[in-house]
Amino acid sequence: MQPEDKRHPPGAPAPQPVNEWAAAEENAVRWLQWLGHGTAQRSRSGADGGIDVTGTDVAAQVKWYGTAVGVRSVRELVGAATGLPVRVYFLCNAGFTRDAIAYADRVNVALFRFSPADGSISPLNSAAEQAYASAVQRHTRPTVEATSAASQFRAFYRETARDASGPTGPASKAAVIVALVPVGMCLAGALVVILARKTGGGPNWLGNAWAAWMTVACLGVLPAVVIAAVIQGRKTPPVRGSSAAGISHPDPQEP
């Protein structure tokens, strides 16, 4: 028996018993979609020409057999899929003969055996192993990227919290003041508009002055942020435990 993580890899279909041919085809559809063929669906009864599952990029045959599938059935599947721009799969609960596996390797047909107990699939040749490994990597990558992003965010948060809790000297206060100047100008401009409306308007020069004031306030946001960053960057608070050689030691309170 295979290890549990191989039988049910990330994002794999939920385990379901397969006890007849229709369930086998439905099971194949779910696994082919997991393998990357999102348009996979069962073929119409009697119109498949030897192909039980089709899609824009996939063609598959599914067998519910008591014995291993021989090379003849694989050849027939290849003939039915000839000329189609698809990846060809063959799934069977009983597996395949050595001759069938050797032929499938030559024509790049992926062979899988599925378990009647839970529907899980096992690759039986090189084409199937490549398809399976690619699917595992594709379904695992989002989790890895999300974990990496979460780790980076936690590191950024800790660094920001440490800086925020550190000493605030004149440079820090100056940076805050510079950054808030455009905000104060915008608030003042809004207050002028409110007062002008309550008094029934104002002289024309007041409107022109207000427009110029708000233009300066809006355009001054970016320079103010840049200047604040420069001021903040020049803040060099003494490091506790630093030596004359310039080697700093961590704060005893830092985790």
Side-chain angles (χ1 to χ4, degrees):
M1 180 178 294
Q2 295 180 342
E4 184 66 15
D5 59 341
K6 290 185 179 181
R7 294 178 66 87
H8 300 291
Q16 293 186 13
V18 179
N19 49 24
E20 46 93 23
W21 67 270
E25 292 184 1
E26 290 290 351
N27 182 68
V29 168
R30 291 191 295 269
W31 277 99
L32 288 170
Q33 291 175 349
W34 177 81
L35 287 169
H37 306 286
T39 61
Q41 61 181 349
R42 293 177 64 186
S43 301
R44 291 181 300 169
S45 177
D48 55 16
I51 297 176
D52 301 308
V53 179
T54 60
T56 57
D57 58 352
V58 63
Q61 189 168 26
V62 185
K63 290 295 187 184
W64 177 256
Y65 268 10
T67 58
V69 173
V71 66
R72 179 179 177 180
S73 296
V74 181
R75 287 199 181 101
E76 291 175 350
L77 172 61
V78 172
T82 298
L84 301 177
V86 296
R87 182 71 181 272
V88 182
Y89 294 82
F90 205 139
L91 298 90
C92 180
N93 61 304
F96 300 83
T97 64
R98 289 185 178 181
D99 290 342
I101 293 176
Y103 175 75
D105 280 334
R106 292 198 300 269
V107 296
N108 198 33
V109 173
L111 304 181
F112 284 92
R113 176 171 52 214
F114 63 87
S115 169
D118 57 11
S120 60
I121 62 173
S122 303
L124 298 182
N125 68 335
S126 58
E129 289 172 354
Q130 293 175 5
Y132 192 92
S134 297
V136 170
Q137 183 179 13
R138 183 171 57 256
H139 288 278
T140 303
R141 187 181 299 115
T143 302
V144 173
E145 292 178 350
T147 302
S148 176
S151 299
Q152 293 177 6
F153 176 78
R154 286 194 296 269
F156 172 77
Y157 177 80
R158 286 195 298 267
E159 185 69 20
T160 303
R162 182 164 56 247
D163 291 345
S165 61
T168 56
S172 297
K173 295 178 181 178
V176 173
I177 293 173
V178 170
L180 290 179
V181 165
V183 178
M185 293 179 66
C186 290
L187 293 177
L191 181 61
V192 170
V193 172
I194 294 174
L195 294 177
R197 287 184 176 180
K198 288 186 176 181
T199 58
N204 292 334
W205 65 266
L206 181 60
N208 295 333
W210 177 86
W213 177 274
M214 294 302 294
T215 300
V216 173
C218 294
L219 296 179
V221 172
L222 181 59
V225 172
V226 173
I227 294 173
V230 172
I231 295 175
Q232 182 68 13
R234 292 179 179 178
K235 178 173 70 77
T236 55
V239 179
R240 187 179 304 177
S242 60
S243 64
I247 302 175
S248 61
H249 303 279
D251 194 323
Q253 298 179 355
E254 182 179 327

